[in-house]
Structures are given as C-alpha cells and as structure tokens.
Amino acid sequence: MFLSLAGKAGSSRSKKFLYDRKGPWPQPSPRHPLGTAPEVLHLPWQEKVDWQLHIGLRYMRDLFLYGPVAAFRALGFRELPTISDAELNDALVRGLYSRFLAPLDEVDRQTFSAQIDPSDTGLHYKMDFSPIASVDPYRGMHVAPTVTLLRRATKDDPEFEVKAIAIGDDRLVLEPTDGDSWELAKYYVLQGCSYATLFTEHPNVHFPFDTINAVTKGSIPTDHLLFRLLIPHFRFSLVLDNAVLQGDASVISNFRATIYDPFTAKADAGLMAFFVAGYKGLEGNSAYPAYRFAASRDQLRLPPTRYGEFLRRYFEPFLEFSQTVVAAMTDEELGYCQEWARWIRVWIPTFPELTFHPPASPQEKDLGRDRLAFALAVTLWDVTVVHSTDHENFATDIPVDWKCFRLREPAPASKTGGVLDRKKLSRKVDLFKSHLAHRMFFAPTTVTRLMEVEYGFETDALREAENDFKEALRTVEAGLAADGIPNYLALDDVAASIQY
Ligand SMILES: [Fe+2]
C-alpha cells in the first residue's frame, strides 16, 4: 500500500517518479568503499515499513517460536558426523558448492605436482578457500585455508573425485591415505564452503543489484516499461541488504552474544575480507576474479555441473522476455535507459554502455537494445532463480552439522599429526546458533513469487509476452528430468525478488 502511493500525488503522468525522485541512491560502502559493492544507505520509510511488516516480524516470530526447536536439536548433538570420501565428493559438486570449482593456477600445479600425472587426460579443478586465513577466530576456535584438488574424467562427467587437500598457510598436502589428518581436513574444507558461500559467492548475487534497484527507482518514470518490468523484482531487497550489512541485529555481527550468529569471529575480525576477495578479486588467483556484470552468456559464471546447467536453462526465457519488452520501448523510453545505464556505470563500471540519443546510428541503437535486453535478463534471472536456488540448496541440501561454522580442534599440521575427535570439534551451542541461523536467514522464506508477478503491461502484445515468458519457464522445468538434471528448486517456489 505504501509503495503504491509513494511519490504519485500531484505528479503529471509523464513525470511521475517513485518518491518524487528523492529516493534511494547508491554510495560507497562505509566499511570497504573501494573493496565491496556500493551500498544504498538512505532508505524510503515506505520500504522500511513494508520490510518490517513482511520480513522483520517474521524474524521475530522465528526467533521466539523456532528458538526452542533449535535448542532441542542442539541438545541432541553428540558429535559431528563421519564424512566418507564418497560423501564429500558428492557434497562438493552436486549443487551450490560446485560454484567453487576453479581452474588450477601455476602455484596449485606446483602444490599438487605429486598428485597430478602429466599424462593424465582427465580434468583437474580446485576449490580454493584461502581467504579464510584472514579470519581471526574467537579463542578456542580455529580456521584454516584449504585448496582442494578434484578430478573428473571428461568435461561432461558428473562424477568428480577429491584427490588431495592442501591445508594451512604452508599448504600441507593431504591424501585419503593420511588417516586422521585427512579426516580432520575434510571438516575444514566444508568450513571453507560455508564461509565462501555466505561471504563471497552469495554477496555477488545480492549487493551489486542494489545499485540497479536504487537507480531504477530514482531515474525511471513509473509508467516506463523498464520500471514496470523491474519493480516487482526489487521489493524488499534494499532494506534487507542494508539490514544485513549495517543493522545492529545482523547475523554478521560484532557482538559474539548475538544468539543467531553462528560464525567463528566478529564481522570485523576478518570475515569482511571475504567480501573484498569476492568482489574485488584476488590477483593471480583464478578462484577469485573481480566481480563483473555479465555481458554475455559465457560471463554468467556458471559451474560446469548439473547445478550450472539448471541455472543456465532458466536464463533463456528471461532473455527472450527482456528482448520483447525492450523492442516495445519508445525512443523516449530508450533515452531514459541510456541515462539509467550511465548512472549505474558510475558504480558498476562493467555494466553495459547504451547509446540511443541522437546522433546514435542505427547500429548503435541495435547494439544498445541487445545490451539492454541482456542486462535486464541477467538482473531478473539473478534476483529470482539464481538467488532462490542458491538459498534452497545451501539450506536444505547441506545438513546443519556439515556447515562447520565453528571448529574447535586445530587443523592438521602434518600428515600423521592430526587428531580427530568428532565430539570435540563442535559444541551444542555452536549447533544451536547454526540451527537458528538456518531457520531465520538461510532457508528460503518467500513473500512474493516469480510466477505470481503481474507487470501491468498496457498492450496485448506485452501481456502475451508475459504469458509466453511464464510458459517458457514451465517448459524449462518440465524438461529437466528427461536430461537428468535435478529440480533444485520448484519453479512455484522461486521468489520474485531478493527477500531473504
Ligand atoms: Fe540471500
């Protein structure tokens, strides 16, 4: 209700802007102005109220109703589960974690020179969680950088094998024959997966899109096709992201006593270094390229697995829909898009440049339409299918006691020196916080759904395109099973925006 009224009173039709054009706008992140995505710090009261009613209250409800359930589950905790090599192989590549598969760098080839046979025709990858070395954990807890070597026979083979784990600053290389040291190292690999998910991979799904969200609200008239297309997908996200990054009650906290904060260190004790590694990149490390807004299909950064194929297939309906909407835009609307892209590029330099104003040539206009449609498809796909599926997979596919947010036994320092006592690796309080955080923040909690979005188009052609779009999404879902691709998230459960 508040959003539908925002900024509309007294405006003429052709100059109707949300919040009278005095709304949110990106600015440098206060914590890492040069290292992380821009943030939107000044938020319209209408969006804060909307978020509180639909999401803030839900946090409170979960805290009080699910808190006792989390406590009950934690009380039943005895020890971390045994994890076989086959189970680790599967967990690393069957879903979201396969996003961390990266090519080996030269330093990695040196590290694993004894494990890689030069005549082997199979493909080798690494999972590199070295940024966790910057984390300064609470007393009695431990972190360790790991680089895991994986191999598969061919690029289409769904089976991978974990060959070795290099652990610690000195890259001690462990193999499956290394007894307790090997077994202990697996928990540190899973710890790296958890932190890399929450602090490098997922932030790039969230935070760069705040800039597009705010600039759309601040520079595009409300009857513009671009506005109609995007606005259903931008609800809740600015306030949510601000609460995560700046809120005193955030799960990423500087207060150890925060009941639902499962992490092993304060936010300012190195956890934020992950954000920087994920966004700014790490020079010379292929696992941490600098963030760039995808301008082509091969820049979508999809893992070479069935999980990546699932996400890729959903991209095509978004692109076709965006192309149809862009094709229907008037010259005046395209002019607004040019300015919109120019503002976004101030904050996200890899966002495409669009040229529509005279004296733009027909070729420049065609190129601009292509780029615009692609950028819109990337945005819509990211904040819906990609975001929702990542949450679903992280929360439900990987059990809570596999997350290893807090490990209380030091990482192995030699091939024979590791001591594995699964009872001592984590405590009940660690599991309690983890269960609660799962319920409150990691599990999907959908308010508005992609398949229920109505764009309010005014022409029959665009209303037909909207129907075709949803039909095409249904067709993608229906075709997954025949090709052996798991339905990682039911289409009807995909949220319309980043709302958790
Ligand atoms: Fe999220």
Side-chain angles (χ1 to χ4, degrees), residues 6 99 174 217 279 333 380 411:
R99 283 178 170 281
L174 298 170
K217 289 169 182 170
Y279 189 74
E333 285 181 312
L380 296 173

Side-chain angles (χ1 to χ4, degrees), residues 415-454:
K415 276 177 169 288
T416 55
V419 178
L420 178 66
D421 183 346
R422 293 188 178 87
K423 291 186 176 65
K424 292 183 178 174
L425 263 177
S426 284
R427 293 183 183 166
K428 294 182 195 301
V429 64
D430 306 331
L431 272 290
F432 167 72
K433 286 168 176 263
S434 199
H435 277 293
L436 196 50
H438 266 72
R439 174 66 172 221
M440 293 178 68
F441 305 108
F442 306 153
T445 47
T446 306
V447 181
T448 58
R449 294 169 194 281
L450 168 65
M451 296 304 281
E452 294 172 358
V453 167
E454 292 180 2

